[in-house]
Amino acid sequence: RYLLALSGIVRFRLLEELETRLPYRSCRIAVFGGDLEQAERPPKIDRDGLLTVFRRYLEANQLEADWDSIRKADNETLVSALCMMIAPSGAAERQALLEAEDLSARTDTLIAITEMALADDDKDGGPRTLQ
């Protein structure tokens, strides 16, 4: 038995699994075009907006963060970590983050989802975690 851990630079959608005699799966895929462009040049994101909504999330849930590490994190690492940490658990919201065309769109989606959840918390009379 082998345990493989794969990492890549682009997301893809499985279109069809091909029949083969090979000892591994072979598939036809469609690549998210924005990922290829992102691999070539880092996209611009609304980092200030993301950090503002993250700060509000922390305050609403009485949490703290290592701001020195956050400031040092590159955009892709920051957005990915925050998607895992503060994204709501609803399937539609998570799917929207996964299907965002590029890092900039994923950032904007995360900001919007988090702002809506925080607004619902305010309306309901207090904080609750988004996870």
Side-chain angles (χ1 to χ4, degrees):
R1 289 188 99 152
Y2 293 97
L3 175 61
L4 301 176
L6 304 175
S7 64
I9 59 170
V10 297
R11 294 168 295 154
F12 63 90
R13 181 179 319 250
L14 180 70
L15 298 176
E16 172 186 16
E17 186 158 358
L18 305 173
E19 289 191 34
T20 178
R21 294 183 183 268
L22 299 170
Y24 52 84
R25 295 172 72 182
S26 186
C27 303
R28 228 172 36 88
I29 62 169
V31 175
F32 282 76
D35 289 359
L36 293 173
E37 294 168 10
Q38 181 178 318
E40 294 171 8
R41 58 173 172 68
K44 296 192 186 293
I45 68 165
D46 181 5
R47 191 177 176 104
D48 290 337
L50 180 61
L51 293 179
T52 298
V53 76
F54 179 52
R55 187 178 305 274
R56 286 181 50 217
Y57 167 83
L58 291 174
E59 290 169 0
N61 292 285
Q62 299 175 351
L63 298 170
E64 294 182 14
D66 178 1
W67 287 100
D68 190 46
S69 294
I70 291 169
R71 279 189 277 284
K72 292 177 183 176
D74 64 85
N75 288 345
E76 186 172 357
T77 300
L78 179 64
V79 172
S80 295
L82 294 183
C83 281
M84 290 184 281
M85 182 180 165
I86 68 175
S89 59
E93 290 88 352
R94 290 198 182 274
Q95 193 65 34
L97 291 168
L98 286 171
E99 292 182 358
E101 191 63 32
D102 57 21
L103 190 62
S104 180
R106 189 173 306 118
T107 302
D108 293 344
T109 302
L110 179 59
I111 290 170
I113 289 170
T114 305
E115 285 177 340
M116 288 187 299
L118 288 169
D120 284 346
D121 290 348
D122 289 343
K123 193 173 18 176
D124 295 338
R128 70 175 178 263
T129 59
L130 301 173
Q131 300 179 13

